Amino acid sequence: MVKLQGITKRYPNATSPLYSQLELSLNANQSMAMMGPSGSGKTTLLYILGLLDPPCAGQYFFNGVDLFTLSHAQKAKFRNTELGFIFQAHMLIPHLTVEQNLMLPLIYRGLSEVVASKRANTQLHSLELAYLAQRLPHQLSGGQQQRVAILRALIGEPKLLLADEPTSALDDSTKQDILSLLLNLQKVQQFAMVIATHDVSIAGLCDRLLQVGNLHHEV
Amino acid sequence: MKSSYWLKEGWALFRFYRLRLLLGLLGISIGIGAACALFSINFVVAKNSENVLAKYGQSRFIATLTPMSLLEKKQAKQHLSAPYITSFCHKYKDYLTLIPYQVVNFKDEKVIVGTLSGIEKHLEWPLDSGRALHRLDQQDTVAVVGKRVGAVVGTQIALYGRYFEVVGVLGEVEPNPLIEFDPNQAIVISIEMLARIKPLPWVDSFIVQSDSESLVVAKSQFKALIKSSFLIEQMFIRDATLFQLALLKQVNMTVQMLKMIALTTLLLGTLSIVNLLVILIDERKREMGLRLAMGATALTISWQFLREIMMLCCLGAALGIVFGHLAAYIIVMKLGLTYYFGWFSWCIGFPVALAMGILAGTLPLVFATTCHPVKLLNS
């Protein structure tokens, strides 16, 4: 489903490229963990996969379509329909309620407010979080915020979920809850998943592991 | 995106950043309010000015002859005597309406006004009881008195040893700045009778009414007539334009002060909006990156932010215009003018507020939306 070919990424002031001729493929429903030290380029690769940060060279195929040839509007549409993002710091929009945060990707998709609200509430019900619907993000705990962020990433039924250290800001017990939630949802909703993490236990739960660094290689 | 949804989003934003947005709103309101008050006052002054002209007549004026040279004084003594002037005015009645009058101070604040019949009609003095002076009253000892003289119809009043019968009492007369006496304190008698009880060198004042629509033409007609009839060129003319000038002078300082305040507050308002938006947009850069990641385009985000700014500015403009009108009303009342409501300020206030918002919001917005999405997410 996902195929990266010859990806090279170099930051303007860097002496050596972050990636050189990176090749990567990922099948549907497959999960892959990315591990590596800080600054090794885990998040950058996620942004490349998310069409937020273009590489210096290379090609990115998604179901056979070369995504780097798409226009800005087409890329935005692709991000909206095919991708889901979970960020390290939950990144909910602070002035919107939980329900409004969940509705946002659907609103950008062109769905009506009523339909988007209905779907947001269904998702919240599925995780027994309906009571949080009208709260603002700062009124939630860290675990609740991350659960809402996961729901927002998955509300549009993406084919590829990109998660950037989704449990790094959580305590151990919440971390386990979030992880099991993520993996359960992956089984139910059948999407491919790329997780950037420092945590070996998370990497162990994924189908594949990619070591990222100067010599990136698959383990 | 439906408008109801972005209105809800806008409201959510307002609730979240309420203190900052309220301060911004206050900045816009004060700026627009001051400008609006200025426009309103200008409008009210113009309207009052029109009313002054309408009230005192476009072609009516008061002329006081001021003979200077020996020749002019000789001519005045010879031709401007009471009996002669009566027939002179009658002679030209189809050409110009001329009502001569002469004012003599009497007791307290009372004055004796010697004139011809018809003065009350031309100056729109209402009659409370009795009748006005008649053309045939020229030789009679009858008088019409102002309301505050304190006489009633049928009584006699003594003026310099002669008794005058009160035949009419005027109603309350609104002060007319064109004439130098208060009609409410006036005892109006025929000019010939005044000349008998109080010797006058000559009659020097005239109320002039022309059929011409232009005051300039009316004045030149009168000057030409006086020059050709009496060889007198020196005169002082009071007309409605004088009061327009007086009115403008009266409000000019207020308007000038308000202009300064309006400009300063508008500038401060704009700066506070720029400052607010720069901070707010800077603070919301991460949100922009997040929205991009969720599938929004840079254009969608720009339009959303601009919409929010414009909503804020419109709200500020509406409040500013209301407060501006209120301020203008208070100032106008203090100046003793009549207040008129004008829509002009609404037509100007909103575009100015929107322009303020667009000017203030576009630059930080363009800067933010052209920023790299990763930079936005990491900000």
Side-chain angles (χ1 to χ4, degrees):
Chain A
M1 185 179 75
V2 175
K3 195 171 184 186
L4 294 180
Q5 280 184 346
I7 296 292
T8 300
K9 179 72 184 175
R10 179 199 289 271
Y11 283 114
N13 297 325
T15 49
S16 59
L18 201 55
Y19 303 114
S20 183
Q21 298 297 315
L22 173 72
E23 303 283 332
L24 181 74
S25 60
L26 190 69
N27 294 330
N29 312 333
Q30 210 173 29
S31 60
M32 185 177 82
M34 276 195 293
M35 288 192 75
S38 296
S40 58
K42 299 187 294 293
T43 304
T44 302
L45 189 56
L46 283 183
Y47 287 153
I48 289 171
L49 285 166
L51 294 179
L52 291 170
D53 194 7
C56 303
Q59 286 177 304
Y60 176 11
F61 292 99
F62 192 91
N63 287 335
V65 179
D66 186 355
L67 297 180
F68 292 151
T69 61
L70 298 181
S71 66
H72 284 298
Q74 286 169 325
K75 282 178 185 170
K77 193 178 177 191
F78 175 81
R79 280 195 293 268
N80 182 258
T81 53
E82 309 293 340
L83 297 181
F85 284 94
I86 301 170
F87 298 95
Q88 192 172 359
H90 50 81
M91 291 241 211
L92 297 173
I93 295 175
H95 62 269
L96 298 184
T97 61
V98 166
E99 186 194 14
Q100 285 172 321
N101 264 288
L102 292 186
M103 284 163 67
L104 209 53
L106 303 178
I107 295 286
Y108 283 135
R109 197 175 287 189
L111 265 63
S112 74
E113 194 189 334
V114 179
V115 175
S117 169
K118 205 172 171 183
R119 272 175 73 171
N121 280 298
T122 310
Q123 290 274 325
L124 286 168
H125 272 289
S126 68
L127 294 190
E128 295 176 349
L129 296 173
Y131 67 100
L132 301 177
Q134 296 310 315
R135 288 198 198 168
L136 290 172
H138 69 86
Q139 295 167 324
L140 309 180
S141 69
Q144 286 171 332
Q145 287 184 25
Q146 199 61 307
R147 281 186 182 87
V148 174
I150 290 169
L151 285 183
R152 188 183 59 191
L154 297 177
I155 198 164
E157 295 171 355
K159 293 191 176 66
L160 175 63
L161 181 73
L162 304 168
D164 188 9
E165 301 186 36
T167 58
S168 65
L170 304 173
D171 61 68
D172 282 345
S173 100
T174 316
K175 187 169 79 179
Q176 286 309 317
D177 288 348
I178 295 291
L179 264 180
S180 54
L181 168 70
L182 210 49
L183 292 167
N184 282 339
L185 286 171
Q186 197 218 355
K187 275 177 196 160
V188 175
Q189 292 190 18
Q190 302 279 302
F191 51 82
M193 181 164 69
V194 180
I195 304 180
T197 183
H198 287 287
D199 196 328
V200 183
S201 64
I202 296 174
L205 294 168
C206 293
D207 302 328
R208 290 164 59 188
L209 172 64
L210 180 71
Q211 277 288 351
V212 184
N214 283 337
L215 291 166
H216 45 267
H217 59 276
E218 201 164 339
V219 180
Chain B
M1 222 188 290
K2 293 251 173 82
S3 55
S4 62
Y5 178 79
W6 66 253
L7 272 174
K8 278 182 194 168
E9 254 206 45
W11 175 237
L13 180 82
F14 191 81
R15 278 194 309 177
F16 193 76
Y17 294 104
R18 55 185 172 273
L19 184 63
R20 265 180 276 179
L21 291 177
L22 276 173
L23 287 174
L25 202 63
L26 200 67
I28 305 170
S29 300
I30 293 171
I32 294 292
C36 169
L38 180 73
F39 280 124
S40 288
I41 288 175
N42 273 338
F43 175 71
V44 165
V45 170
K47 272 287 215 188
N48 275 272
S49 191
E50 275 172 29
N51 287 355
V52 164
L53 273 182
K55 190 173 175 182
Y56 301 122
Q58 292 277 4
S59 54
R60 182 192 299 157
F61 57 91
I62 307 279
T64 302
L65 307 185
T66 51
M68 301 294 279
S69 64
L70 282 174
L71 177 66
E72 280 187 334
K73 283 179 182 168
K74 192 179 163 193
Q75 286 289 325
K77 271 185 186 169
Q78 195 177 341
H79 299 295
L80 297 178
S81 62
Y84 184 84
I85 207 71
T86 308
S87 56
F88 170 78
C89 293
H90 190 69
K91 188 177 167 186
Y92 291 100
K93 71 177 179 0
D94 296 332
Y95 173 46
L96 277 175
T97 304
L98 299 170
I99 299 177
Y101 73 92
Q102 196 69 40
V103 183
V104 174
N105 287 329
F106 192 52
K107 289 174 188 166
D108 305 323
E109 288 179 351
K110 295 183 186 75
V111 288
I112 304 169
V113 180
T115 183
L116 293 184
S117 60
I119 188 169
E120 68 290 325
K121 187 178 142 198
H122 280 283
L123 294 177
E124 294 160 10
W125 293 346
L127 206 61
D128 215 25
S129 59
R131 63 171 178 88
L133 287 180
H134 191 269
R135 197 160 53 86
L136 299 173
D137 289 334
Q138 279 169 22
Q139 309 290 328
D140 299 335
T141 49
V142 291
V144 170
V145 298
K147 187 144 188 146
R148 277 178 242 152
V149 171
V152 291
V153 175
T155 56
Q156 303 264 326
I157 48 173
L159 304 175
Y160 296 108
R162 277 205 186 214
Y163 286 93
F164 285 75
E165 186 194 347
V166 177
V167 292
V169 178
L170 297 173
E172 186 71 31
V173 179
E174 201 184 320
N176 181 338
L178 282 175
I179 53 174
E180 70 275 31
F181 61 89
D182 178 8
N184 297 305
Q185 303 269 24
I187 300 158
V188 185
I189 59 173
S190 83
I191 198 155
E192 287 187 31
M193 289 310 294
L194 179 67
R196 282 187 203 175
I197 61 170
K198 186 88 180 168
L200 305 168
W202 56 73
V203 177
D204 61 357
S205 299
F206 294 85
I207 296 162
V208 186
Q209 174 75 56
S210 163
D211 291 337
S212 162
E213 285 182 7
S214 155
L215 199 57
V216 179
V217 175
K219 281 185 200 171
S220 65
Q221 280 176 344
F222 178 74
K223 281 179 180 172
L225 180 66
I226 295 296
K227 192 182 173 188
S228 63
S229 305
F230 311 123
L231 302 173
I232 295 174
E233 287 185 59
Q234 299 295 324
M235 63 182 76
F236 173 64
I237 290 179
R238 284 163 289 162
D239 59 55
T241 52
L242 276 178
F243 300 103
Q244 274 189 309
L245 285 175
L247 185 71
L248 290 175
K249 199 176 168 186
Q250 188 187 4
V251 292
N252 200 29
M253 192 181 273
T254 314
V255 170
Q256 287 299 330
M257 211 167 69
L258 209 68
K259 263 184 194 168
M260 294 300 290
I261 297 171
L263 279 174
T264 314
T265 47
L266 207 60
L267 188 70
L268 286 176
T270 312
L271 286 178
S272 84
I273 289 297
V274 174
N275 185 37
L276 174 83
L277 295 177
V278 166
I279 294 171
L280 211 59
I281 290 174
D282 201 50
E283 214 170 88
R284 293 175 71 193
K285 272 184 181 171
R286 188 182 273 207
E287 180 193 326
M288 286 183 187
L290 200 57
R291 285 177 188 269
L292 284 173
M294 282 192 282
T297 58
L299 194 70
T300 314
I301 294 172
S302 301
W303 175 225
Q304 182 210 331
F305 275 68
L306 212 55
R307 214 164 40 205
E308 288 167 1
I309 295 161
M310 289 197 291
M311 267 169 71
L312 185 76
C313 288
C314 280
L315 199 62
L319 284 174
I321 291 169
V322 170
F323 286 124
H325 273 287
L326 204 65
Y329 179 80
I330 293 167
I331 293 168
V332 163
M333 288 294 119
K334 290 266 179 205
L335 289 170
L337 304 176
T338 312
Y339 181 78
Y340 293 94
F341 178 80
W343 287 103
F344 184 66
S345 52
W346 289 86
C347 303
I348 291 290
F350 272 103
V352 168
L354 283 180
M356 261 170 78
I358 291 168
L359 274 175
T362 305
L363 202 66
L365 196 58
V366 166
F367 179 72
T369 47
T370 50
C371 207
H372 198 285
V374 174
K375 271 190 184 166
L376 291 173
L377 279 167
N378 292 335
S379 61

